[in-house]
Amino acid sequence: MSLRRQLLLLSLLLLSVPWAGCQFLRETDAVLRQSQTQALLATAQAASAVLSAELSELLPAQGAASQRSIYFHPLAGPVLVDGYAEEWADIPGRTLTGTGALQLSWQAGIHRDQLALYIRVRDDSVVHFSPARSTFGNGDRVQLLLGDGRRVDLGSSAPGELTATYRADGEVKSEGRIRGYWQDTADGYAIELTMPRSLTAQRLALVAIDERPAETGDSPQRLASAPRPVRIVYPSSALEARLELFLRPGLNLRVVDREHWLLADQGGLGAAADQPDNWLLRRLYQVVLDDSWLTPRPQPQGGRLDSAILDTALAGGTAHAWYRLDQRSQGGVLHLAVPLYLDNDVVGALLAEQSRAQSLALADSAFGRLLLVSFAAIAITVAGLLGYAAWLSWRVRRLQRAVSEALREDGSIRDDFPHSTLNDELGELSRSAAHLLARLREYTDYLKSLSRKLSHELRTPIAIVRSSLDNLQNHPDDATYRQRASEGIDRLGRLVTAMSEATRVEESIRQARPETCDLAVLLEAMVEGYRQVYPQHLAWQDRSEGRAMVQAVPELLAQMLDKLFDNASDFCPVNGEIRVQLHVADQRAIIRVENDGPALPGTLADRLFDNLVSVRDSSSGGHLGLGLYIVKLIVDYHRGAIHAENIPGGVRFELAFDTLPQIAER
């Protein structure tokens, strides 16, 4: 896989940035929800404490209601009593179905102290009131069961204004405070009426009476909202006035009694949170802050509000839940319910509702900025990585092409390998490759000249041997020719020995076992031996007193010194001097071997200890440049260091070895 693709795959890790942002946004959303819940709980508990202290005064006349109670919804204005339903379109109603076709439906409202009812009765045969039959209690009618025990009949002999009559003390009386209108409908009739709230004595029940035609002989059918008058329920203006003290924008407060009847409703949730304009942002927002688990917000049905958290509050607990405001909104609405107490008894619950429009707008703005910054950072980083990968690939391909073209077809190595000046890994690799190729080029050149050197070196001893053998055939008793042939064979042997000596040294190094030895004693013994060989050259100078204990192989050290002294003697002139020095200081033993003679060539200063490198001229004979290379092998094995430099009138070789600490301190 190319570097560009590798970096492209690596850049995909940057996708963790928006993922981490989304996780942070979710955590932030959870914290905001929790904070909103705690703040709303504090508001609800404060309102509950105030309402509970004044509840006996705020609800003096309503008392306990039942599920059969009639709920009067608040009206925006007084009702025009005309028997038509246009004004009741937004008022929820209730319906009861009896036997046969009889059905009773009603809608109830209150405006100030006036109660209003719109009653519909489904009847397959409408029988109007007939004064000829009786002055009271005949024909189809609706009966109002009032809290004071009266039964008021609402009937009419024809569509139009109806009469409200009741029987008291054996007489039929008219209730003039009830104003109503009768309208026939396609499936029965409808009655619209208004009456003072005080007329009901806070209790009311509705009864639809279906008078059957006389020819059928059937008894009248009755369908009642309740068997007896029950408490009427309507919003309390006093309660709503108290709730206004705790309102703030986006907050809605409701009070329900034990039967879930809505007693007060104040405030509003405001508009739903606006959705982001960008469809991609909107979609990502829906994915990150998923609210699909939310259920629709519960609404009052016929004046009753059913909710699980209200059941918990009416049982004496505190509960909250999240709901969806509508189909297009997000974030939900927080519902929180707390109980209301009267004389230590739970008589109702306070429901606080608050939307997340404001916090959702902040989250939307934060998410939009986070998304924009994340994608911008990813785009810039990916572009930078791709550009860097392209540049890096170009450098690698350039280096690969240069390496592949470094060798010419004739086997020679080019000398125009590019050198990078950049201080990075590829730059170092390019320079190392250039240096390696330069060394290989020099080594190749040396190998090419090696055949000539060997040919030259071998030609002379071979010629000596051949001429000596030819002369021995003519003069078999002449010892001179035998001596010359023997010297030629010895010279050939030395050349072969020199060629294989380095290999034997490497094998010796692999099999060697270091031991503790005194370098000063070894060097002194070697110098005494060399003094007999080179009496006119060798001299001790500045020898340190004491011992120089090292961990080494004495045989290898002796071989190293042999090569070093042999090299010094080869270059030392007849009247020159070879000087040997030994210094021991700072746990280092330093051997210096100096000889008079020609200086080292500057071109070979860095390669003097390499294999097959020699500074001798061709007339010296039998030298292949392996002596100092063997010295370097032995020094490296003992973890030492070797250095050669020119000095006035000669050359100095300096070798350094670590001494054993416990002995060097003596």
Side-chain angles (χ1 to χ4, degrees), residues 405-663:
E405 297 175 353
L407 188 64
R408 296 187 179 95
E409 294 181 358
D410 59 356
S412 62
I413 299 176
R414 297 179 182 271
D415 56 359
D416 57 350
F417 192 86
H419 292 70
S420 176
T421 58
L422 297 178
N423 295 324
D424 57 5
E425 288 78 1
L426 278 179
E428 293 178 359
L429 179 61
S430 174
R431 292 188 291 272
S432 298
H435 179 70
L436 176 62
L437 289 175
R439 296 290 302 275
L440 286 176
R441 185 170 56 254
E442 295 174 0
Y443 183 68
T444 302
D445 294 340
Y446 173 77
L447 290 179
K448 289 180 180 180
S449 64
L450 181 61
S451 60
R452 296 192 300 270
K453 291 182 179 180
L454 291 176
S455 176
H456 176 75
E457 296 293 338
L458 294 175
R459 184 181 296 112
T460 300
I462 291 175
I464 293 173
V465 172
R466 180 181 292 113
S467 62
S468 297
L469 292 176
D470 291 340
N471 291 325
L472 282 175
Q473 290 179 355
N474 299 323
H475 307 280
D477 296 330
D478 193 338
T480 302
Y481 297 121
R482 286 195 297 270
Q483 179 65 29
R484 289 175 60 188
S486 177
E487 291 176 356
I489 291 174
D490 291 340
R491 188 172 180 180
L492 288 173
R494 287 196 299 272
L495 290 174
V496 174
T497 300
M499 293 175 63
S500 60
E501 191 173 5
T503 303
R504 292 199 306 270
V505 170
E506 292 176 352
E507 293 177 355
S508 300
I509 288 176
R510 285 194 296 268
Q511 299 175 1
R513 295 293 182 269
E515 61 183 61
T516 302
C517 63
D518 191 343
L519 186 60
V521 174
L522 176 63
L523 184 60
E524 185 174 3
M526 296 293 295
V527 169
E528 289 299 325
Y530 295 137
R531 195 186 301 277
Q532 298 177 7
V533 180
Y534 314 110
Q536 73 279 17
H537 296 311
L538 202 58
W540 271 105
Q541 286 189 353
D542 301 332
R543 175 187 171 184
S544 299
E545 298 294 334
R547 310 173 68 186
M549 306 302 296
V550 295
Q551 194 76 12
V553 180
E555 292 80 6
L556 293 178
L557 292 180
Q559 190 173 6
M560 174 193 71
L561 292 172
D562 284 342
K563 297 297 180 184
L564 201 59
F565 280 108
D566 182 62
N567 180 81
S569 65
D570 286 345
F571 288 94
C572 186
V574 175
N575 297 323
E577 186 179 46
I578 299 175
R579 296 171 295 278
V580 182
Q581 303 174 11
L582 174 64
H583 294 281
V584 180
D586 298 331
Q587 299 183 4
R588 297 280 284 180
I590 300 175
I591 301 174
R592 293 190 181 96
V593 178
E594 301 176 354
N595 65 273
D596 296 336
L600 296 173
T603 57
L604 295 179
D606 296 333
R607 301 187 293 108
L608 189 61
F609 299 99
D610 292 348
N611 191 7
L612 297 175
V613 175
S614 176
V615 298
R616 293 176 175 85
D617 55 26
S618 58
S619 63
S620 59
H623 292 280
L624 300 179
L626 296 174
L628 294 180
Y629 172 69
I630 293 174
V631 173
K632 183 69 164 57
L633 286 178
I634 297 174
V635 171
D636 289 343
Y637 170 76
H638 290 91
R639 301 179 185 276
I642 186 170
H643 174 67
E645 62 182 351
N646 292 320
I647 60 175
V651 177
R652 173 189 294 161
F653 288 86
E654 183 176 288
L655 299 86
F657 299 94
D658 292 333
T659 60
L660 298 178
Q662 64 273 22
I663 299 176

Side-chain angles (χ1 to χ4, degrees), residues 15 34 56 75 115 137 149 154 179 188 200 229 244 274 332 376 421 470 489 493 506 525 548 609 615 635 639 648:
L15 293 178
Q34 184 178 5
S56 59
L75 299 174
L115 303 180
L154 305 177
R179 297 176 53 249
T200 64
E244 286 184 359
D274 294 334
T421 58
D470 291 340
I489 291 174
E506 292 176 352
F609 299 99
V615 298
V635 171
R639 301 179 185 276

Side-chain angles (χ1 to χ4, degrees), residues 230-248:
V230 295
R231 289 284 185 182
I232 62 173
V233 184
Y234 48 86
S236 170
S237 58
L239 269 176
E240 292 180 344
R242 287 293 186 274
L243 291 179
E244 286 184 359
L245 300 176
F246 303 95
L247 291 180
R248 59 176 182 268

Side-chain angles (χ1 to χ4, degrees), residues 7 11 40 55 80 91 129 214 275 308 333 341 362 450 462 465 496 533 600 611 623:
L7 289 177
S11 64
L40 189 60
L55 205 57
L80 176 62
I91 303 299
F129 172 74
Q275 298 295 309
V333 177
Y341 293 93
L362 294 176
L450 181 61
I462 291 175
V465 172
V496 174
V533 180
L600 296 173
N611 191 7
H623 292 280

